[in-house]
Amino acid sequence: MNFSQPPETWEERVGKLSLRNNIYVSFAVIVVLLIGNGLVSHLGLLSVRDAMARKLEVSRISRTVFRMDRDVQELQLRVDRFVVSGHSSLRDEAGSINRRLLDSIEAVNNDGLDEELDELFTLVGDHIRAYGKQFAAVVEERRVREDLVQVQMPDLSATVQAALGSLAASVEADMSSDQDRLAVTRCQSLFSQAEKSFLRYFATPSTQHVNSAVESLNEARRSIASLAGKKVVGAMRGYETTGLRAVQATRSYLFLRNVVMAAEASEVGYYAESLRLLAEERRNAIRAEALATGRCVNQVTVATIAIATVLATLIAARLAYLTIPPLTAITEAFTKLSGGKTLEDIPGTDREDEIGAMATAARVFSDRNQQTRELLSQSESMREELQVQAVELAATNRELDNFAYVASHDLKSPLRGIRQLASWIEEDAADKLPPASLEHLQHMQSRVAKMEALLAGLLEYSRVGRLAPKVEQVDVKVMVASIAELTNNPGNVAFHYPDELPRCSTLRAPLEQVLMNLIGNAIKYNHRGSEGIVELDWQTRDDFYHVTVNDNGPGIHGKDHERIFQMYQRVGDADIEGSGMGLALVKKQIEQMGGEVRIESAIGEGARFEFTWPVQVIDSSNAS
Amino acid sequence: MTEATKNAIVLVVEDDFVDIESVRRGVASRGLNFDVQVREDGQKALDFLRDELAPEQREQLLVFLDINMPGMNGHQFLDELRADEKLRRTIVFVLTTSDHELDKSKAYDRNVAGYFVKSNVDGLLDTVAVYADNVEFPPTTV
């Protein structure tokens, strides 16, 4: 840990984020931006939807108010017509309109408006209700008036007419003065006028008609004051009273209609107007709000999209910049490296992220390449060295070959000479020599013979493995049989071998040498004479023949088991002829073939020689 | 052995005493009627054949030739011999230690009558004993 370094700044830290983390973070940010955008859009849509909903509601209220207005007007119309005509259908219609209005107000109220509207609607409702009530009163009055006008007054009028008639008759009978008759007639006509006035009034309610009617009636009464017309007067009075009652009723319902109901209607109209205005106001407000909201949402959405796009682009660009150039560079580096080149400078090793790791790996790779190169060139030079050495070795071997051959060959010649001369001396001067000299001569000859044998053995030994004999078909049985025949067996030692011996493709001379030496030794050294037994056993296992030569001879001490395989080593009976090279030769031949030889033996327990010989022999004669 | 046979001359071209002695004793033990002459190298042998040998002696001439000799060796001797007009047809038996193919080839290329190895000197002498009695010797040129 390097304490002298200043603490990392935030930027350095971010820069050091591994690529993977960078990518994660970038993706996270982009996803957040997307989600944010989505949210913003969603919220915007929600608020637009809200605005739309409010607008719709206000529209509905406006429509309701408009309908209400229309209905109120219709109501008033019907009421007016009813007041004029008294048709029950109009009355019913008015009633149903009233109910409709009240229903729609209730419906609106149930929807839960804001307080202001609610209040207004309630007020309107109240007034419409009041209007309705007044109308009911009007209806009642109208009915009363109707009754009075249509029923009672005509009755009473009839009564009056009857009374006048009778009066007229009585006057006629009395032969009263013309004045009286005129008075009655006048009275009658005045009564008719009054009736007409009443009718005029009932047709067109105007006080002057009432006054003229009353005046007419008063005059009528006065006109017959002098006469005995109590009945007439009474009837006229009754008629007048009824008529005035009817007038009163009319005035009453007219009042109701013109004042009270009008007042209510005007209240309703006022509140309805207020409602309409309020609704209008609200609608405008909402519309403006909706527009504003729409604009705002639009702006915000556009802004957020723009920001998100810009940010995302920046992030993506930054990410691309962070990853692509170094990736390209590292890819190039690796491509070169995989081509076996070594690179001096690998881009990006100072980075602390994945690219840095790759660059470091590439550096290692490069170093390995370098190492491989060096190793290859080393191995190449070693190969060359080896080749040189092999050539030298071959030369040395050849020299040794020549040496052994020449040595044994050239040594043989004088030896032969010595032997021959010794034998000639013996031939020519045997009788002239003292016995000691003869003995000396003989010793000389035997030693020379020994040396010749040694040399022959050496020559043979040196030849093993040098000459490359060809692979031949060897009938082992035939070979063993001929060895048995040729081997000197003065003691008549028994030699057993299996009936089943293979034919194999192998090197004849080496195998023959080995078998000859082992079997020959076993027979030669056996001290039991005709009791002596030598056995050959032949097995095939894995890729090798396992051959055993068993005997019941004197055996070999454990301490000599290694020695006997060495050159010029002899153990056992020294009288028995031998060069000491036989087993060395056997070992060399066997090992040359890739086999092994070993001995199991102890003094007095015979000996058992085992060796392995390959089944498959590769013909190397063509190679040399 | 017919008495009418003239003594054949056997020229032994050999430098080794024991080998020479082998031949001599072998001839003696077989009772062969040869005149054994010994020269120890090729040049001396040629000189003998050219200068010391009488023409009529050439009529029954056998040469036992060793190959490995100091000075002029057997092959060189043969080359010279076969190049010499008078001596071309001389009967030569090679008697040498070498059993090398090359030596044999060279010798037979020069028309030797036979190639023998020294270990078989008896074989040679037995052969020559019969041979000398039966063969028609090559005509000599003067």
Side-chain angles (χ1 to χ4, degrees):
Chain A
M1 188 94 104
N2 191 350
F3 287 107
S4 62
Q5 269 181 340
E8 296 172 328
T9 63
W10 182 83
E11 285 92 359
E12 283 173 347
R13 263 227 159 94
V14 165
K16 277 186 185 174
L17 277 176
S18 73
L19 272 178
R20 185 185 55 174
N21 287 347
N22 249 319
I23 289 174
Y24 286 162
V25 165
S26 304
F27 277 172
V29 169
I30 287 177
V31 165
V32 162
L33 284 175
L34 281 173
I35 292 175
N37 257 7
L39 267 178
V40 163
S41 303
H42 181 64
L43 288 173
L45 280 173
L46 277 182
S47 63
V48 165
R49 191 190 66 177
D50 275 351
M52 291 304 293
R54 280 205 300 284
K55 206 165 123 176
L56 279 173
E57 194 164 296
V58 167
S59 297
R60 198 163 52 79
I61 290 169
S62 294
R63 271 202 310 279
T64 307
V65 168
F66 177 73
R67 249 201 331 267
M68 231 170 55
D69 239 13
R70 210 188 46 198
D71 279 348
V72 163
Q73 279 171 17
E74 282 257 341
L75 181 63
Q76 281 182 313
L77 197 68
R78 297 278 191 277
V79 163
D80 283 349
R81 286 218 192 114
F82 171 76
V83 161
V84 166
S85 68
H87 280 314
S88 59
S89 67
L90 289 166
R91 179 198 62 199
D92 291 337
E93 272 171 30
S96 78
I97 291 173
N98 197 322
R99 266 196 305 281
R100 197 164 67 212
L101 278 167
L102 289 174
D103 281 345
S104 72
I105 287 170
E106 200 175 313
V108 164
N109 267 353
N110 282 345
D111 283 347
L113 304 165
D114 66 284
E115 270 187 34
E116 238 183 304
L117 284 170
D118 206 35
E119 217 181 289
L120 285 171
F121 269 114
T122 312
L123 284 169
V124 165
D126 289 342
H127 285 297
I128 288 177
R129 221 168 281 127
Y131 188 90
K133 274 200 199 123
Q134 302 302 336
F135 179 63
V138 161
V139 166
E140 185 55 32
E141 289 294 317
R142 187 79 169 61
R143 193 190 59 77
V144 164
R145 190 202 90 158
E146 210 55 31
D147 183 55
L148 288 171
V149 166
Q150 302 288 0
V151 175
Q152 291 193 25
M153 278 183 73
D155 273 352
L156 289 168
S157 167
T159 311
V160 167
Q161 298 275 21
L164 273 171
S166 71
L167 188 63
S170 81
V171 163
E172 232 0 271
D174 284 348
M175 299 296 266
S176 329
S177 63
D178 283 331
Q179 237 183 332
D180 291 340
R181 265 191 285 174
L182 270 167
V184 174
T185 310
R186 196 144 173 264
C187 186
Q188 278 178 322
S189 80
L190 280 168
F191 182 71
S192 296
Q193 271 187 351
E195 264 189 330
K196 283 191 187 118
S197 290
F198 269 124
L199 284 173
R200 272 194 215 114
Y201 178 78
F202 292 131
T204 315
S206 163
T207 311
Q208 73 184 50
H209 297 309
V210 175
N211 291 341
S212 75
V214 166
E215 216 180 286
S216 301
L217 282 172
N218 283 343
E219 262 211 58
R221 272 195 300 275
R222 265 197 311 277
S223 69
I224 58 158
S226 57
L227 299 174
K230 276 195 187 121
K231 249 175 87 183
V232 173
V233 171
M236 269 199 217
R237 258 210 231 289
Y239 182 82
E240 195 183 339
T241 309
T242 307
L244 285 176
R245 265 187 67 200
V247 166
Q248 203 186 1
T250 307
R251 278 196 182 137
S252 167
Y253 78 67
L254 280 179
F255 174 75
L256 278 176
R257 194 204 74 181
N258 293 336
V259 177
V260 177
M261 282 176 74
E264 295 294 337
S266 92
E267 288 290 298
V268 167
Y270 171 74
Y271 288 124
E273 183 68 21
S274 299
L275 269 175
R276 206 183 35 250
L277 285 175
L278 195 62
E280 187 74 25
E281 191 188 303
R282 288 283 161 85
R283 211 181 53 209
N284 288 340
I286 295 284
R287 189 146 49 100
E289 199 184 306
L291 276 175
T293 308
R295 242 196 322 273
C296 176
V297 162
N298 195 28
Q299 282 170 348
V300 167
T301 309
V302 166
T304 48
I305 287 176
I307 291 171
T309 309
V310 167
L311 276 179
T313 310
L314 285 175
I315 290 172
R318 175 173 165 273
L319 207 57
Y321 173 70
L322 272 181
T323 51
I324 292 173
L327 266 179
T328 314
I330 213 79
T331 310
E332 239 182 77
F334 267 113
T335 312
K336 283 195 193 140
L337 284 175
S338 69
K341 298 206 190 117
T342 50
L343 298 173
E344 283 299 321
D345 185 31
I346 292 166
T349 41
D350 52 331
R351 294 166 67 112
E352 289 197 15
D353 54 12
E354 290 90 340
I355 304 261
M358 279 202 279
T360 313
R363 160 79 56 73
V364 170
F365 203 158
S366 174
D367 290 343
R368 293 258 170 80
N369 271 6
Q370 181 70 17
Q371 274 178 25
T372 307
R373 252 266 197 92
E374 284 164 12
L375 280 172
L376 275 175
S377 83
Q378 255 182 42
S379 110
E380 186 64 33
S381 62
M382 270 166 68
R383 196 176 63 80
E384 282 170 13
E385 246 182 74
L386 271 172
Q387 257 188 336
V388 166
Q389 279 180 6
V391 168
E392 282 177 16
L393 190 66
T396 309
N397 279 347
R398 270 199 307 277
E399 271 179 51
L400 274 170
D401 254 352
N402 286 343
F403 173 76
Y405 182 80
V406 164
S408 61
H409 193 267
D410 288 352
L411 288 170
K412 267 203 262 184
S413 172
L415 278 176
R416 197 166 30 85
I418 295 169
R419 189 160 41 78
Q420 278 193 306
L421 289 163
S423 96
W424 293 338
I425 292 171
E426 213 180 352
E427 274 174 32
D428 297 342
D431 48 342
K432 296 187 186 106
L433 280 170
S437 300
L438 268 176
E439 212 183 328
H440 293 163
L441 259 180
Q442 273 157 13
H443 275 282
M444 198 169 85
Q445 280 180 309
S446 85
R447 270 164 179 64
V448 165
K450 191 164 188 133
M451 186 144 177
E452 276 183 318
L454 287 172
L455 278 173
L458 179 63
L459 189 65
E460 225 182 333
Y461 184 82
S462 82
R463 279 203 180 131
V464 170
R466 294 298 156 56
L467 314 169
K470 281 173 47 181
V471 173
E472 299 174 46
Q473 281 295 334
V474 174
D475 190 334
V476 176
K477 189 157 182 180
V478 167
M479 187 187 273
V480 170
S482 83
I483 288 170
E485 218 182 284
L486 293 173
T487 305
N488 236 355
N489 194 355
N492 234 350
V493 173
F495 174 49
H496 303 306
Y497 54 91
D499 284 333
E500 295 289 317
L501 285 172
R503 275 178 216 277
C504 44
S505 213
T506 190
L507 304 177
R508 176 184 291 278
L511 182 61
E512 197 161 21
Q513 262 182 358
V514 168
L515 287 173
M516 198 150 19
N517 266 292
L518 288 176
I519 297 166
N521 277 358
I523 292 173
K524 199 163 61 168
Y525 283 93
N526 199 296
H527 62 314
R528 297 188 197 267
S530 50
E531 307 275 316
I533 304 171
V534 174
E535 280 175 340
L536 173 78
D537 188 53
W538 193 285
Q539 304 282 345
T540 311
R541 215 166 42 240
D542 302 329
D543 293 322
F544 282 90
Y545 297 119
H546 291 250
V547 187
T548 316
V549 177
N550 225 337
D551 70 65
N552 62 354
I556 300 170
H557 200 290
K559 67 173 167 64
D560 295 327
H561 284 187
E562 263 199 62
R563 201 156 63 86
I564 53 173
F565 288 108
Q566 291 169 6
M567 294 203 306
Y568 296 129
Q569 296 298 322
R570 296 200 63 216
V571 296
D573 195 343
D575 286 339
I576 297 170
E577 206 188 297
S579 64
M581 289 294 284
L583 285 177
L585 208 90
V586 160
K587 184 165 143 102
K588 198 173 179 203
Q589 284 287 25
I590 287 167
E591 284 174 0
Q592 188 81 17
M593 300 298 286
E596 287 176 344
V597 62
R598 62 191 196 90
I599 175 179
E600 264 175 48
S601 179
I603 296 290
E605 288 175 32
R608 184 191 165 82
F609 282 87
E610 282 179 33
F611 71 92
T612 55
W613 193 266
V615 175
Q616 288 266 57
V617 176
I618 302 159
D619 193 340
S620 62
S621 60
N622 296 329
S624 58
Chain B
M1 177 81 81
T2 58
E3 287 177 51
T5 316
K6 276 196 267 188
N7 285 359
I9 310 267
V10 175
L11 171 63
V12 181
V13 188
E14 173 65 66
D15 67 313
D16 182 80
F17 170 76
V18 174
D19 294 329
I20 294 165
E21 196 62 19
S22 287
V23 172
R24 277 199 209 281
R25 288 178 74 98
V27 166
S29 67
R30 286 170 180 76
L32 300 171
N33 219 359
F34 292 154
D35 178 5
V36 179
Q37 292 287 326
V38 180
R39 294 292 181 276
E40 62 234 13
D41 76 64
Q43 190 57 55
K44 294 203 171 86
L46 280 169
D47 293 341
F48 169 76
L49 288 172
R50 287 169 181 152
D51 305 330
E52 294 178 53
L53 204 60
E56 62 273 12
Q57 282 176 307
R58 248 185 268 143
E59 287 173 14
Q60 287 201 53
L61 174 64
L62 296 171
V63 178
F64 291 176
L65 177 65
D66 185 20
I67 294 190
N68 296 317
M69 292 178 290
M72 185 190 276
N73 69 16
H75 292 304
Q76 289 165 324
F77 171 82
L78 271 173
D79 287 340
E80 287 256 3
L81 193 74
R82 294 302 180 221
D84 188 309
E85 268 300 313
K86 294 194 185 131
L87 303 171
R88 277 176 31 220
R89 299 184 185 129
T90 310
I91 299 170
V92 178
F93 289 93
V94 170
L95 178 64
T96 181
T97 48
S98 164
D99 65 346
H100 208 292
E101 230 178 81
L102 199 60
D103 288 324
K104 290 186 216 172
S105 306
K106 279 174 90 167
Y108 279 108
D109 281 342
R110 291 277 177 256
N111 298 61
V112 297
Y115 190 107
F116 287 82
V117 289
K118 278 184 191 163
S119 50
N120 193 19
V121 69
D122 289 329
L124 172 62
L125 290 170
D126 288 339
T127 308
V128 169
V130 178
Y131 183 93
D133 259 357
N134 291 293
V135 79
E136 299 292 327
F137 281 88
T140 52
T141 54
V142 180

